[in-house]
Amino acid sequence: VVGANVYLAARIWKITDVDTYSKKFFVVPAKDGKPPIFGGGAGDISHLVRREMLNCLQNVDDLIHSYDIEVQKVLLKLAEENLTADKSDFLIKDEPAGKQTVMTFACSKINRTMMLFLKIRSQNVRNDEFVLNDLESSISCPSFAKVFPSLAEKPLTVMMVKTWFMENMGEVKNLLVSSKYVTLLPEDLQVKYLIYKYFDVDQTNNFLSQHNY
């Protein structure tokens, strides 16, 4: 944003111009005293962290006595809303307009890959009907319970994912919008880089094999 201050190289700078074509912005030292803005999204969250979150909710009855009443209420509510009655797996929740949501308790790469798998397997579903909220580790889409079993029964391979991306290069461009030089590569190398950096097909298939719906 032109006129905004940013913090770079231990100094505060003011943005004077943005060249969207070359993906560059130009700055001068800031002297107006305005606080800098800090853009960018959150980093990836590991599978170990998310599994520990799940473990806490699965053992909530034993853990809650270590916390005060308000924390106990929150933990019990989270477990009730997001796990099956026996706390053995995540709960598929019905939402308005035929959508279903799950809190996966999986790492960021698995969540992105599972979202991609759902897109590939779902027919006649618009892109905007798929919603991934990785901060909450939740995925929403129409008829999740109907599509989900096929992901474990007939796993997608890296080659199948690569083929889908090659046929949907618009998705690749959107995902690589912040990668300045990768978009200069041949399309097959862009897809290879994308799969390596943002997805994990093998780990996701292993995750899916552990959940039976």
Side-chain angles (χ1 to χ4, degrees):
V1 180
V2 174
N5 289 353
V6 293
Y7 188 73
L8 296 169
R11 293 186 63 183
I12 298 177
W13 306 82
K14 181 174 293 295
I15 299 174
T16 59
D17 192 19
V18 178
D19 187 335
T20 55
Y21 179 77
S22 64
K23 298 182 181 178
K24 294 180 180 179
F25 62 91
F26 301 89
V27 298
V28 295
K31 299 178 180 179
D32 55 11
K34 290 170 56 178
I37 61 172
F38 299 89
D44 281 1
I45 299 174
S46 80
H47 201 57
L48 289 174
V49 171
R50 288 275 167 77
R51 292 286 97 179
E52 187 59 30
M53 292 166 60
L54 175 60
N55 182 60
C56 287
L57 294 186
Q58 288 177 324
N59 297 283
V60 66
D61 293 329
D62 298 324
L63 293 174
I64 56 173
H65 304 295
S66 303
Y67 304 102
D68 61 38
I69 296 298
E70 291 305 313
V71 175
Q72 291 181 31
K73 289 179 180 178
V74 171
L75 289 173
L76 289 168
K77 186 172 185 288
L78 283 171
E80 180 182 356
E81 291 180 348
N82 296 290
L83 299 179
T84 52
D86 62 359
K87 297 184 176 66
S88 64
D89 215 330
F90 54 69
L91 183 67
I92 299 178
K93 299 178 287 186
D94 292 323
E95 305 283 0
K99 278 193 174 184
Q100 293 180 310
T101 299
V102 296
M103 185 176 285
T104 66
F105 298 97
C107 68
S108 300
K109 273 195 171 183
I110 287 180
N111 283 338
R112 282 195 295 266
T113 309
M114 196 187 312
M115 184 77 150
L116 175 63
F117 283 4
L118 289 166
K119 284 185 178 183
I120 294 174
R121 281 284 162 80
S122 300
Q123 301 295 322
N124 303 316
V125 180
R126 301 191 317 272
N127 265 358
D128 60 2
E129 294 190 80
F130 295 92
V131 179
L132 167 62
N133 185 337
D134 190 51
L135 288 178
E136 295 184 357
S137 193
S138 68
I139 294 176
S140 300
C141 73
S143 305
F144 181 94
K146 182 178 179 180
V147 179
F148 185 80
S150 72
L151 301 181
E153 293 166 5
K154 299 178 180 179
L156 288 156
T157 65
V158 173
M159 184 55 65
M160 294 165 72
V161 170
K162 181 178 180 180
T163 299
W164 186 86
F165 272 129
M166 291 298 294
E167 294 171 353
N168 296 270
M169 284 304 295
E171 293 270 355
V172 177
K173 302 298 183 187
N174 289 336
L175 290 168
L176 293 177
V177 67
S178 61
S179 301
K180 181 178 178 181
Y181 297 110
V182 176
T183 54
L184 301 176
L185 294 171
E187 290 186 346
D188 62 326
L189 293 181
Q190 290 183 42
V191 170
K192 186 176 181 179
Y193 170 86
L194 180 67
I195 294 173
Y196 172 78
K197 184 170 178 62
Y198 294 104
F199 301 95
D200 192 326
V201 173
D202 292 337
Q203 191 179 13
T204 303
N205 281 329
N206 181 59
F207 175 83
L208 292 168
S209 69
Q210 299 170 21
H211 300 273
N212 300 310
Y213 280 94

